[in-house]
Each structure stands twice: as structure tokens, then as C-alpha cells.
């Protein structure tokens, strides 16, 4: 009876843990294969434990060049998309203007459009405009579809923010810039950071849009796709595991910093 009662009270938690386990299982497999010495180039079974892959992650120079190029593209696309998306989110959430409803619909179009359609459309645009395909066309394409995710994320944060805090700051003779810097920005910052992390992950991971607009530029996903035909090096699993670990640490650090800031604000003054 106790077991059945406990299962009846915690079955939602159990289902959630099963779903999370299913989602994290591929990541665990990739992390395990990063310590594997495969028996052949086309073998993906666990053959022998080794640390050589982590000691020499750049055994294939082309792979590290592709990783560095993806990081550069992701950084530039993230900065541009975060700035543009944050400004657009503030405009849509705080101001009333003609065409606001239509703009809200247009924001969702890059998110709802299939990537094949988006990639071919951008390719046609660049070719018709005489723009040479390469590094910068990839950056422009990534900014275009990352902006929508930034707008949606930051706008959701703004919608849940209490405007009375800003009004109270202005009642205490704080100027607009001082209110924004001390009240608005700290409250919206977690949403901006989350949007930036999401934009970087989308940019770093993109293959379809990049493949249409890359020219001769090779990013990390494109390298993995090409290497799959002749055998993916085990160092790819090292890069994937390291990227997941860095993203997890950034999320944890941001969450802890936000909790510490919230706890400091709630602590009564001596």
C-alpha cells in the first residue's frame, strides 16, 4: 500500500525523469565514445578505453579549423542577433505603433519556415545580388533566423516583469537611464543571456542553411557530414562533449548568479 500510494503521488515526477533520461541518453553515449579507441574508422562500438582523444583533440587539423570557424560565426551571429532581437523585443513589448500586430506575426516566420526553404531563399537572394558566398553570408543567414528566437525569449521575460518596480524607481527621482541601468536591465538580463546562449547553440549547430550559403567555407557540422562518408574521427565526440559541458556550466553559473542576486535583494538592510 505504501509503494502504490507513493507511485500514485509521484508518477508525474517518474515520467519526467524517464523523459529526461531518454533525452540525455545520446549525450551520455557521445561522452562515453569520447574515451573510446575504435577498432576501425567506420566502427562506432566501444572497443577500448583511452584518454588520447582528450589529450590530442586536434589530431585532425581540418576539424579544429572547422570548430574555430563555427565558434567565430556563432559569436558574431549571437552578438548581432542579441542586440537586434533585444531592441525589437523592447519595442514590441513596451510601445504601441502601427503594424505592431503584423510585425509580431513576421517574427515567427523564420521559426516556422522549413530550413530548406530558408536556405534556398537566401541562396537565391545572395546570387541575384552578386554577393560571394562564404563566411559573411553564413553570418548574415544565421543572424536572420536567430533574431526570432532572441525576440521571443526576451519578450517573454519582459512580459513577466513587474512594471511597478520601474515606476517606483522613477517616483524616487531616478532618471530613465538610471532606472534602465539599475532596475530594468538586471531584471531582463537573465532572459538576454538565455537568448544569447540559444542563438549561439542554434548557429553552431546549423547545417542546412549553412550548406546552401557557405560556398567553400566549412563549418563544424559540415565537416562532420563530410567525414561520415570516410569515418568520423573520435575527436568529434570530444568536441561535442566539451561544448555540452561548457554550455551546462554557463547555464549553472547564470542560474546561481541570478539566485544570489535575488537573495541579496530580499535580504533586509541592517
Amino acid at each position: 500500500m505504501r509503494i502504490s500510494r507513493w507511485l500514485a503521488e509521484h508518477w508525474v515526477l517518474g515520467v519526467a525523469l524517464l523523459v529526461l533520461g531518454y533525452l540525455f541518453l545520446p549525450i551520455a553515449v557521445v561522452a562515453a565514445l569520447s574515451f573510446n579507441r575504435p577498432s576501425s574508422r567506420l566502427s562506432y562500438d566501444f572497443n577500448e578505453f583511452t584518454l588520447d582523444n582528450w589529450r590530442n583533440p586536434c589530431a585532425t587539423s581540418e576539424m579544429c579549423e572547422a570548430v574555430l570557424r563555427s565558434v567565430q560565426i556563432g559569436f558574431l551571429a549571437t552578438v548581432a542577433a542579441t542586440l537586434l532581437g533585444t531592441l525589437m523585443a523592447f519595442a514590441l513589448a513596451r510601445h504601441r505603433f502601427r503594424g505592431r500586430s503584423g510585425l509580431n506575426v513576421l517574427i515567427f516566420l523564420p521559426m516556422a519556415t522549413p530550413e530548406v526553404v530558408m536556405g534556398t531563399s537566401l541562396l537565391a537572394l545572395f546570387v541575384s545580388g552578386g554577393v560571394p558566398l562564404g563566411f559573411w553570408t553564413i553570418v548574415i543567414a544565421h543572424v536572420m533566423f536567430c533574431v526570432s528566437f532572441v525576440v521571443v525569449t526576451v519578450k517573454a521575460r519582459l512580459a513577466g516583469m513587474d512594471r511597478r518596480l520601474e515606476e517606483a524607481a522613477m517616483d524616487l527621482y531616478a532618471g530613465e537611464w538610471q532606472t534602465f541601468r539599475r532596475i530594468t536591465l538586471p531584471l531582463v538580463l537573465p532572459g538576454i543571456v538565455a537568448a544569447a546562449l540559444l542563438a549561439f547553440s542554434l548557429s553552431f549547430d546549423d547545417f542546412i542553411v549553412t550548406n546552401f550559403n557557405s560556398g567553400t567555407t566549412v563549418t563544424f557540422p559540415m565537416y562532420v557530414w563530410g567525414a561520415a562518408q570516410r569515418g568520423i574521427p573520435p575527436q568529434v565526440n570530444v568536441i561535442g562533449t566539451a561544448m555540452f559541458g561548457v554550455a551546462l556550466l554557463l547555464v549553472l553559473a547564470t542560474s546561481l548568479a541570478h539566485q544570489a542576486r535575488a537573495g541579496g535583494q530580499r535580504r533586509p538592510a541592517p
Side-chain angles (χ1 to χ4, degrees):
M1 292 297 294
R2 292 181 179 178
I3 296 177
S4 61
R5 187 182 302 110
W6 187 89
L7 292 176
E9 294 175 354
H10 299 85
W11 68 272
V12 175
L13 176 62
V15 172
L17 292 176
L18 289 176
V19 173
L20 287 176
Y22 175 77
L23 293 176
F24 281 96
L25 182 60
I27 300 175
V29 172
V30 170
L33 290 178
S34 67
F35 297 97
N36 178 41
R37 179 181 285 115
S39 57
S40 64
R41 293 180 62 88
L42 297 176
S43 175
Y44 299 101
D45 57 335
F46 196 88
N47 178 55
E48 181 183 354
F49 180 85
T50 181
L51 294 175
D52 294 340
N53 300 329
W54 285 87
R55 293 193 186 103
N56 190 16
C58 290
T60 306
S61 59
E62 294 84 359
M63 185 191 71
C64 284
E65 292 175 0
V67 171
L68 179 60
R69 195 171 296 114
S70 290
V71 171
Q72 293 172 343
I73 293 172
F75 176 78
L76 293 174
T78 298
V79 171
T82 302
L83 290 175
L84 293 174
T86 301
L87 294 176
M88 293 174 65
F90 270 94
L92 292 172
R94 295 295 181 84
H95 300 280
R96 299 290 185 269
F97 52 89
R98 183 176 299 177
R100 179 172 175 268
S101 300
L103 186 57
N104 276 319
V105 175
L106 290 176
I107 290 298
F108 284 94
L109 284 181
M111 302 171 61
T113 303
E115 291 191 4
V116 173
V117 176
M118 188 184 303
T120 54
S121 300
L122 285 169
L123 176 61
L125 176 65
F126 291 138
V127 171
S128 62
V131 180
L133 301 178
F135 182 91
W136 290 108
T137 55
I138 299 175
V139 173
I140 294 172
H142 287 195
V143 170
M144 194 201 72
F145 67 77
C146 286
V147 164
S148 297
F149 292 92
V150 174
V151 172
V152 172
T153 305
V154 178
K155 188 180 175 184
R157 181 67 179 176
L158 287 170
M161 198 178 76
D162 191 354
R163 291 292 301 272
R164 291 175 298 180
L165 297 174
E166 296 172 303
E167 295 172 356
M170 290 185 177
D171 289 340
L172 295 173
Y173 304 102
E176 292 185 358
W177 170 247
Q178 191 175 12
T179 300
F180 176 80
R181 184 170 58 90
R182 293 181 175 272
I183 304 298
T184 308
L185 185 59
L187 292 174
V188 182
L189 188 59
I192 297 176
V193 173
L197 293 176
L198 178 61
F200 182 83
S201 63
L202 290 171
S203 174
F204 187 87
D205 185 61
D206 182 76
F207 171 77
I208 298 178
V209 176
T210 303
N211 191 37
F212 279 105
N213 301 277
S214 61
T216 58
T217 304
V218 179
T219 61
F220 181 62
M222 295 179 64
Y223 171 83
V224 175
W225 176 74
Q229 303 175 9
R230 59 184 183 275
I232 299 177
Q235 285 78 10
V236 169
N237 300 314
V238 174
I239 300 298
T241 305
M243 291 298 296
F244 175 77
V246 170
L248 184 61
L249 289 177
L250 287 175
V251 171
L252 291 177
T254 304
S255 177
L256 292 176
H258 178 64
Q259 291 179 2
R261 189 184 302 112
Q265 293 175 351
R266 288 194 299 264
R267 189 178 299 113

